[in-house]
Amino acid sequence: MTKQNVVMADSKSGMNVSITVQVTTPYKILTELEINGSSRINAWLDSMRASSPTHAKSTTSSLTNVISTTTDQRHEQSSLMVRQPSALKMFDQITNASKGKQIVMFLDYDGTLSPIVEDPDRAFMSDEMRRTVRDVARHFPTAIVSGRCRDKVYNFVQLAELYYAGSHGMDIKGPPQSSKKYKKGTNRAVLFQAASEFLPMIDEVYKELVEKTKSTAGAKVENNKFCLSVHFRCVDEKKWSELAQQVRSVLKGYPKLRLTQGRKVLEIRPTIKWDKGMALEFLLESLGFANCTDVFPVYIGDDRTDEDAFKVLRERGQGFGILVSKIPKDTNASYSLQEPSEVKDFLKRLVEWKRLSLRRQFKI
């Protein structure tokens, strides 16, 4: 565990924002994959399979057999893990802990507000989910924190009143006119980009990856502006080794980029110390809640990259994280929900609870 002090300029106000966070790696399987060294391809494959719990076993090579055995052991360990309590069943306990505090909502997108789909360009949220998130934002400051390009996730959500943190928090923008209803600080517009100098490099690597991976059926390279995603959800498992070699052959020429992994996706990011946890800290600071004891952040996400935010909340001792997963996982989240439909139910209950609280308050 290391502490990192980050000082960045707010693009609109010119003011410097200093945030000190502790950076940790909570996963037992690989989160940052080494690019150089032939032995690392095996580790890449192991990690790729570990993110694919329903993958079909292959018996075509001894390497695959060894990796499948390792993955089976992890699945067995997963089955022995204790699932975090359901956020729906523990709803009263959660709301009791938040009394007298300002709830701030942070929501991942893929797998949280929308289902995981084979084509990432078709990961649409339902109209009902959109209405629910809109209702949440009427009562609590709300941010979408995603690995997607900020513009792309905005086009999916289509709610101007939210904060959006794209590219794993490296590209943050607030509503056109941030509401004074929640802010404790100045009512300045929020626009923050942590890795602007990497844009030409990201574009260059994107073009190289598209060209290099075009021979692998089902592979899709997505440009998320400040980071890249190589989706292998639709790639035959027998081709994963080939895809890993293709990605590595491109990245070995770019030491300023690092490779991490999410759910059936390889993520290429700048080497700067910035993640979803730091984005959470930045947004709380922007809202005027950096050093407040009366704030209650709630972060809901399904991906490994969301663990950085879960960890920050544990270290702050404020609020909690909710993991979206159908299977038990090693996580820093305090509660769980099984799928986006349960996320929607939880958010609806939260809105109704707030409305009832306001009615009681006005009666008094």
Side-chain angles (χ1 to χ4, degrees):
M1 182 182 296
T2 58
K3 287 189 175 181
Q4 176 76 18
N5 188 57
V6 179
V7 180
M8 295 290 179
D10 179 83
S11 301
K12 291 292 186 182
S13 66
M15 297 173 61
N16 285 338
V17 178
S18 179
I19 304 172
T20 301
V21 298
Q22 289 181 315
V23 182
T24 65
T25 303
Y27 317 116
K28 292 184 179 179
I29 54 181
L30 296 177
T31 53
E32 186 161 346
L33 307 176
E34 295 180 25
I35 294 171
N36 296 312
S38 59
S39 64
R40 301 318 299 166
I41 285 294
N42 290 8
W44 284 28
L45 288 171
D46 194 6
S47 189
M48 289 164 78
R49 285 183 171 87
S51 74
S52 314
T54 58
H55 80 275
K57 294 182 185 177
S58 170
T59 57
T60 57
S61 69
S62 58
L63 171 62
T64 303
N65 288 335
V66 170
I67 293 173
S68 294
T69 300
T70 304
T71 305
D72 288 342
Q73 291 172 346
R74 285 202 173 109
H75 291 165
E76 184 177 347
Q77 293 172 357
S78 177
S79 67
L80 295 175
M81 292 180 185
V82 178
R83 177 184 289 277
Q84 286 67 36
S86 166
L88 287 171
K89 292 181 180 179
M90 303 299 290
F91 185 80
D92 290 341
Q93 178 178 315
I94 292 170
T95 51
N96 285 338
S98 72
K99 286 183 178 178
K101 300 177 182 179
Q102 174 62 62
I103 293 176
V104 182
M105 294 299 303
F106 297 89
L107 304 168
D108 183 26
Y109 183 75
D110 293 276
T112 299
L113 298 181
S114 73
I116 296 292
V117 294
E118 289 189 354
D119 183 354
D121 289 334
R122 300 191 63 80
F124 304 118
M125 67 190 302
S126 67
D127 290 338
E128 186 178 6
M129 180 68 88
R130 183 175 293 103
R131 287 192 295 270
T132 301
V133 174
R134 180 185 289 115
D135 287 341
V136 169
R138 286 179 178 141
H139 296 284
F140 315 107
T142 302
I144 306 296
V145 186
S146 172
R148 299 266 198 164
C149 167
R150 174 170 56 81
D151 290 341
K152 183 173 289 186
V153 77
Y154 177 83
N155 288 336
F156 278 134
V157 179
Q158 298 178 10
L159 295 175
E161 59 267 41
L162 308 185
Y163 291 81
Y164 289 88
S167 302
H168 299 287
M170 287 183 283
D171 187 9
I172 301 175
K173 187 175 183 180
Q177 289 185 338
S178 301
S179 172
K180 293 183 179 180
K181 179 179 179 181
Y182 304 118
K183 276 179 172 271
K184 289 194 171 188
T186 60
N187 188 32
R188 59 189 176 94
V190 176
L191 179 61
F192 170 82
Q193 296 178 330
S196 298
E197 69 271 25
F198 287 89
L199 287 175
M201 184 185 297
I202 293 292
D203 287 339
E204 183 178 322
V205 173
Y206 170 72
K207 293 174 184 177
E208 289 187 31
L209 283 171
V210 169
E211 180 65 25
K212 183 69 71 171
T213 62
K214 67 181 182 181
S215 62
T216 302
K220 182 178 178 63
V221 184
E222 184 178 13
N223 190 336
N224 294 312
K225 191 171 181 176
F226 292 97
C227 59
L228 301 172
S229 299
V230 181
H231 299 273
F232 58 90
R233 181 170 299 276
C234 298
V235 176
D236 189 318
E237 186 176 338
K238 296 176 183 178
K239 295 290 186 180
W240 287 4
S241 177
E242 175 184 309
L243 179 63
Q245 292 279 8
Q246 291 167 344
V247 173
R248 189 181 70 165
S249 69
V250 172
L251 293 186
K252 66 182 181 181
Y254 296 91
K256 292 185 178 181
L257 299 179
R258 63 189 176 105
L259 184 70
T260 61
Q261 192 189 333
R263 291 177 63 180
K264 290 192 176 180
V265 61
L266 296 172
E267 306 273 10
I268 295 97
R269 301 192 235 172
T271 54
I272 64 171
K273 291 289 186 180
W274 196 264
D275 53 40
K276 290 183 176 181
M278 293 182 177
L280 182 151
E281 294 269 345
F282 175 86
L283 284 166
L284 287 176
E285 171 111 6
S286 298
L287 287 162
F289 292 115
N291 299 307
C292 296
T293 58
D294 60 346
V295 63
F296 198 83
V298 178
Y299 190 109
I300 307 179
D302 74 310
D303 197 74
R304 296 181 197 174
T305 57
D306 298 311
E307 289 292 337
D308 294 313
F310 296 155
K311 185 66 174 179
V312 164
L313 293 182
R314 278 198 178 273
E315 291 177 347
R316 288 175 64 98
Q318 293 178 311
F320 55 83
I322 300 177
L323 173 69
V324 183
S325 176
K326 290 186 176 181
I327 61 174
K329 292 182 180 179
D330 187 14
T331 180
N332 284 297
S334 301
Y335 300 96
S336 67
L337 294 166
Q338 293 200 30
E339 55 192 358
S341 63
E342 287 200 353
V343 174
K344 180 182 64 181
D345 292 342
F346 176 83
L347 295 177
K348 282 185 173 182
R349 286 188 64 179
L350 193 63
V351 169
E352 185 58 28
W353 168 80
K354 182 63 176 179
R355 286 172 176 167
L356 289 174
S357 298
L358 291 173
R359 289 172 192 161
R360 294 192 191 101
Q361 180 181 335
F362 289 136
K363 286 182 179 179
I364 295 173

